[in-house]
Amino acid sequence: MAHNPHAPQGPAGNHDPAGSTQMFRAFVDEEGPRPTAATSSSGPRIGLIVGIVAVVAVIAAVAWLALS
């Protein structure tokens, strides 16, 4: 193994690597603001319904023009 002069030497260099894992888990598990289901689901649902109605109208118009 290569010698690294910047690495800590002696007993101070024997740190527990689980300490950084515990800090990472604490960071990930922090409770932050989360969007509520009522505000995030009503917008996309209305857009989906309008999109489906528009597609059905276009298909009906194309079928009417093709059959007439």
Side-chain angles (χ1 to χ4, degrees):
M1 183 149 79
H3 174 69
N4 186 358
H6 299 291
Q9 303 295 321
N14 296 331
H15 69 283
D16 182 17
S20 60
T21 304
Q22 290 170 354
M23 290 175 66
F24 175 75
R25 286 182 180 164
F27 172 75
V28 170
D29 292 338
E30 285 182 354
E31 291 296 324
R34 298 184 185 209
T36 60
T39 59
S40 64
S41 66
S42 62
R45 185 174 297 161
I46 292 173
L48 180 65
I49 292 171
V50 170
I52 290 173
V53 169
V55 168
V56 169
V58 168
I59 291 174
V62 168
W64 181 71
L65 290 174
L67 295 175
S68 61

